[in-house]
Amino acid sequence: MSDAAPRIPYWHLWTDAQGISRQTRCSLTEFALHSMNPPAAPQWQGQKTHGGMTVMVTVQPVGWVGAWHENPRPQWIIPLSGRWFVESMDGQRVEMGPGEISFGEDQGTRERDGRKGHLSGTVGDGPAVLMVVQMDAPPDLATPCRFR
């Protein structure tokens, strides 16, 4: 087992002080080596988030594209199969597949040129199956990479 704590990359869709959504590449880095429940062997565990959450799985059909919109709540989005994209108001488009992670926190954007929040949809010839973990906590605006 490696002694080095892992670095797990994720994309953070966030709102800047001018109300424009942006995407920043971040990393989860704060891990500690603990047993989940002794006598199980130790494993790297990240920070815990407390509070209410809603967990769901969504299936975006082939060719699905959502209209420009904000995330309903701050939420982790993890593709389980297929590919999907997220385009932020600054024009950056990120495509993700299984195992890649996005944290959607683009609440509080201001409409500009018909864009508000983000545009998302499927990529390729298969549906995108996404696990979504919505947080009950309010967004933390203008703070890219707030999870470490």
Side-chain angles (χ1 to χ4, degrees):
M1 176 184 281
S2 172
D3 290 336
R7 294 182 64 86
I8 300 175
Y10 71 96
W11 285 99
H12 187 181
L13 175 66
W14 59 284
T15 303
D16 70 14
Q18 290 74 44
I20 304 300
S21 64
R22 301 185 180 283
Q23 296 185 79
T24 301
R25 189 72 162 157
C26 307
S27 291
L28 298 171
T29 59
E30 296 181 0
F31 290 90
L33 196 56
H34 297 292
S35 172
M36 186 72 80
N37 190 19
Q43 57 188 317
W44 291 105
Q45 297 177 29
Q47 293 183 338
K48 295 178 182 170
T49 301
H50 298 279
M53 294 185 195
T54 301
V55 179
M56 71 183 90
V57 173
T58 66
V59 180
Q60 297 175 344
V62 174
W64 180 87
V65 176
W68 283 91
H69 66 285
E70 295 179 340
N71 283 285
R73 291 189 231 163
Q75 59 188 16
W76 290 101
I77 306 164
I78 305 102
L80 302 176
S81 64
R83 294 189 61 76
W84 76 303
F85 75 89
V86 176
E87 182 177 335
S88 47
M89 292 171 66
D90 64 358
Q92 184 174 13
R93 178 182 160 126
V94 175
E95 294 185 7
M96 291 167 268
E100 296 181 273
I101 305 170
S102 176
F103 186 69
E105 190 174 34
D106 61 347
Q107 296 81 15
T109 58
R110 296 184 192 120
E111 190 274 328
R112 184 176 83 175
D113 300 326
R115 297 176 171 203
K116 182 171 173 51
H118 67 279
L119 184 68
S120 57
T122 58
V123 175
D125 59 359
V129 179
L130 310 173
M131 176 171 278
V132 179
V133 180
Q134 292 182 333
M135 302 171 71
D136 288 346
D140 189 353
L141 301 178
T143 309
C145 299
R146 71 179 177 108
F147 291 98
R148 305 214 187 270

